[in-house]
Amino acid sequence: MTKEKENFSHMSITSDEINYLVYRYLQESGFLHSAFTFSHESLVHKSNIKTADVPTGALISYLQRGLQYTELESHLAEDGSQIDCDESFSLLCPHKCVPKEKKKEDPAPSPMVNHVDKVASPSTPAQATALPAQAADVDMTESSEAPEGQEEPVEISDSQVLVLQGHSSEVFICSWNPTQPLLASGSGDSTARIWSIGSGPRAAQAAQNPIVLKHYNSNNEKSKDVTTLDWNGDGTLLATGSYDGQARIWNYTGELKSTLNKHKGPIFSLKWNKKGDLLLSGSVDKTAIVWDAKTGDVRQQFEYHTAPTLDVDWRNNNSFATCSTDKMIFVCKIGDSRPLKQFTGHQDEVNAIKWDPTGQLLASCSDDYTAKIWSTKQDRYVHDFREHTKEIYTIKWSPTGPGTVNPNQSLVLASASFDASIKLWDVERGACVHSLTKHSEAVYSVGFSPNGLYLASGSFDRCLHIWSVKDGSLVKTYRGSGGIFEVCWNSTGDKVAACFSNNTVAVLDFRV
């Protein structure tokens, strides 16, 4: 056996590897619901692949290399010379090689001509996805540069960040306890973890021993991703939702208090009401359920949607809103058999909904590239924001305006999109006040600081940015080692947490 054959015999491609590459492609492209479904059906979570070693954009990179190799191979003549071909090369269409005819009257082309004819293509997927964002920078530069006289953003080094390690798969969600220095995280490794985040020289040591909340079924089989979690108002209970369709309630010490079984599909959203006596869940089974937190019983199940329920949000202690891939939004009240209100106007699935701090206005965002503001006083939307150029994944209200702890600041809505931008909207005027365009890939999460002065954003470009809400300038930035799914502030506003696709959670001290 020759050395070449010996080396070739060691190369193998397994179905688990292919499935994982497809799963990662769906996830990185923003098709999170499709990724969840594919993971469930292909059993990717049961494979032994070291996910942290797989680079971002791996599937596209391998396809590009394979296509380039195939193109080279098809343009080699039997004698080893290169065939100069006029036909374009495609991934899906069979290639018919048509040799280029040489015209006698034309002089021989210089070596540089071929380089001019070819469109320069990025060598990596990361560069490819950065191109639309660069184009966006040209159109919306009013807030992407620091104002005159202002210093450039401070880049936070790794030494200034507490990195929490322990999860063995992507970390999708994180949330601070509202009353204690505790951080909860949920992962694709079938666990949630509660980390103690102190201050001082021993903080790192204390954080390395989290409480592990195992989401296993009766056969001790991992029940896949922990998709959502939420603390109650006084920080005594943590609710988690999983891909197995079960919601669980734990106390802050990690004791399982209740397992809530009624949904017939994965749970994508889970929220406590302000009083803390009821828990609301939304599921792929098209329904929303209100649970009695004390007994674990179903208070009421709402079956209005005709497709998966993607998000739920309380308006007050007994009414709430739901949204779905069916493009509909319903406002519901406990005890009523019909919706209080239904909002129509989105042209594609509605990804997220959020009530403003006073419960008067409801914001929604969709795959139709728009964010809308609704009021229960009218059927048609109040505002229709159309400046994004791709799907809007999430929205957040600022903790400001009348009725909040920051009454002298204007109410602002932030929208984050797959077009790599964040937009800040003045809701009273119905206008975009800042376009934040420093990210180069899809932005999955945004969060306002408790005082409403700053906005944190996390993107799959691996960057966590902190912006000034007042002037739209970039104040601080941190580059991690994986795409960011979620960012959140603690209740005192001096720490920001971010969860990453490389199985880690990072905690940044924020002091300006």
Side-chain angles (χ1 to χ4, degrees):
M1 179 181 292
T2 66
K3 185 176 181 180
E4 288 77 11
K5 289 184 178 180
E6 183 179 343
N7 287 338
F8 183 79
S9 67
H10 291 165
M11 186 180 72
S12 65
I13 301 175
T14 67
S15 59
D16 281 347
E17 291 171 335
I18 294 174
N19 287 340
Y20 183 75
L21 290 176
V22 172
Y23 165 71
R24 278 287 294 270
Y25 168 76
L26 292 171
Q27 193 180 70
E28 291 164 5
S29 299
F31 306 120
L32 297 188
H33 308 127
S34 299
F36 278 129
T37 303
F38 183 78
S39 172
H40 174 67
E41 294 182 347
S42 64
L43 303 179
V44 163
H45 65 284
K46 291 186 176 181
S47 66
N48 296 319
I49 296 171
K50 295 181 179 179
T51 59
D53 296 336
V54 180
T56 302
L59 179 62
I60 300 300
S61 178
Y62 294 144
L63 284 174
Q64 285 178 331
R65 294 176 192 175
L67 191 63
Q68 288 171 346
Y69 178 85
T70 306
E71 183 179 13
L72 288 172
E73 187 180 47
S74 64
H75 291 153
L76 283 178
E78 292 184 1
D79 60 359
S81 61
Q82 183 174 342
I83 300 172
D84 199 2
C85 176
D86 256 343
E87 291 296 306
S88 58
F89 206 86
S90 170
L91 178 65
L92 300 180
C93 301
H95 181 67
K96 295 181 179 179
C97 201
V98 179
K100 186 181 295 184
E101 293 184 5
K102 294 183 180 180
K103 297 181 180 180
K104 293 182 180 180
E105 63 272 19
D106 291 343
S110 71
M112 292 301 296
V113 169
N114 289 335
H115 295 286
V116 175
D117 289 342
K118 293 181 180 178
V119 177
S121 60
S123 59
T124 66
Q127 291 172 307
T129 54
L131 292 179
Q134 291 166 0
D137 280 341
V138 175
D139 295 330
M140 299 178 290
T141 56
E142 69 274 15
S143 297
S144 61
E145 300 296 334
E148 187 176 351
Q150 183 171 314
E151 296 181 359
E152 287 297 311
V154 176
E155 189 160 339
I156 301 171
S157 66
D158 291 337
S159 62
Q160 298 172 289
V161 178
L162 176 61
V163 178
L164 308 177
Q165 297 179 324
H167 283 295
S168 58
S169 187
E170 297 93 342
V171 187
F172 298 119
I173 189 83
C174 59
S175 178
W176 288 96
N177 185 295
T179 62
Q180 303 181 65
L182 301 174
L183 177 67
S185 59
S187 167
D189 64 5
S190 298
T191 73
R193 293 171 192 250
I194 300 176
W195 313 81
S196 177
I197 311 297
S199 56
R202 296 185 179 181
Q205 182 179 355
Q208 297 309 317
N209 297 297
I211 299 169
V212 180
L213 313 179
K214 297 180 179 179
H215 290 61
Y216 299 165
N217 61 21
S218 57
N219 297 323
N220 203 37
E221 181 182 357
K222 291 187 177 182
S223 51
K224 305 176 200 71
D225 308 350
V226 176
T227 53
T228 182
L229 48 79
D230 192 39
W231 291 99
N232 67 348
D234 61 12
T236 57
L237 297 174
L238 175 70
T240 61
S242 174
Y243 205 86
D244 63 358
Q246 295 183 353
R248 296 169 173 84
I249 299 176
W250 319 73
N251 66 15
Y252 70 94
T253 64
E255 179 186 356
L256 180 62
K257 306 299 289 186
S258 302
T259 300
L260 312 178
N261 295 290
K262 181 66 174 178
H263 281 301
K264 297 179 181 178
I267 297 173
F268 280 157
S269 185
L270 200 61
K271 303 283 177 61
W272 291 94
N273 67 348
K274 189 173 182 179
K275 188 177 178 181
D277 62 332
L278 299 175
L279 185 66
L280 173 64
S281 59
S283 169
V284 172
D285 67 10
K286 310 175 188 178
T287 74
I289 296 178
V290 174
W291 309 84
D292 186 309
K294 187 174 182 179
T295 64
D297 295 333
V298 174
R299 178 72 65 88
Q300 189 173 347
Q301 187 167 22
F302 298 81
E303 304 180 64
Y304 302 143
H305 288 293
T306 58
T309 303
L310 297 183
D311 198 15
V312 296
D313 197 47
W314 289 98
R315 182 186 186 192
N316 51 41
N317 282 318
N318 58 13
S319 65
F320 59 90
T322 65
C323 68
S324 165
T325 60
D326 64 8
K327 312 173 190 176
M328 297 293 295
I329 300 169
F330 292 109
V331 180
C332 313
K333 185 178 181 180
I334 298 170
D336 288 5
S337 59
R338 297 179 62 85
L340 293 177
K341 203 81 176 175
Q342 67 178 47
F343 295 128
T344 60
H346 280 297
Q347 302 303 309
D348 209 329
E349 64 181 62
V350 185
N351 294 317
I353 47 174
K354 294 288 182 296
W355 290 100
D356 79 332
T358 63
Q360 299 302 307
L361 299 173
L362 180 69
S364 62
C365 64
S366 168
D367 279 359
D368 65 8
Y369 304 2
T370 74
K372 302 183 192 298
I373 306 294
W374 312 84
S375 170
T376 55
K377 298 177 182 179
Q378 62 187 63
D379 293 331
R380 185 175 169 82
Y381 46 74
V382 179
H383 295 301
D384 185 18
F385 299 138
R386 292 181 165 270
E387 292 192 21
H388 282 292
T389 58
K390 287 187 179 180
E391 296 89 340
I392 305 176
Y393 186 73
T394 191
I395 44 177
K396 288 288 173 62
W397 290 99
S398 63
T400 54
T404 71
V405 294
N406 307 297
N408 298 323
Q409 296 167 237
S410 299
L411 179 64
V412 176
L413 180 73
S415 58
S417 170
F418 290 167
D419 66 11
S421 78
I422 303 133
K423 296 187 184 297
L424 301 183
W425 308 90
D426 182 319
V427 179
E428 186 175 344
R429 294 191 293 122
C432 179
V433 291
H434 296 300
S435 293
L436 314 178
T437 59
K438 288 293 187 180
H439 284 297
S440 60
E441 293 192 35
V443 184
Y444 282 95
S445 181
V446 289
F448 285 93
S449 61
N451 61 12
L453 297 177
Y454 301 98
L455 180 80
S457 63
S459 164
F460 239 67
D461 64 6
R462 306 184 180 190
C463 290
L464 186 156
H465 292 330
I466 299 177
W467 314 80
S468 166
V469 174
K470 182 179 179 180
D471 58 26
S473 62
L474 183 58
V475 179
K476 289 194 175 186
T477 184
Y478 168 69
R479 183 174 180 82
S481 300
I484 299 175
F485 287 110
E486 183 83 9
V487 295
C488 58
W489 295 80
N490 66 349
S491 59
T492 55
D494 62 349
K495 287 184 174 63
V496 183
C499 51
F500 290 81
S501 62
N502 71 333
N503 313 347
T504 65
V505 181
V507 178
L508 290 71
D509 270 308
F510 180 74
R511 295 182 179 89
V512 176

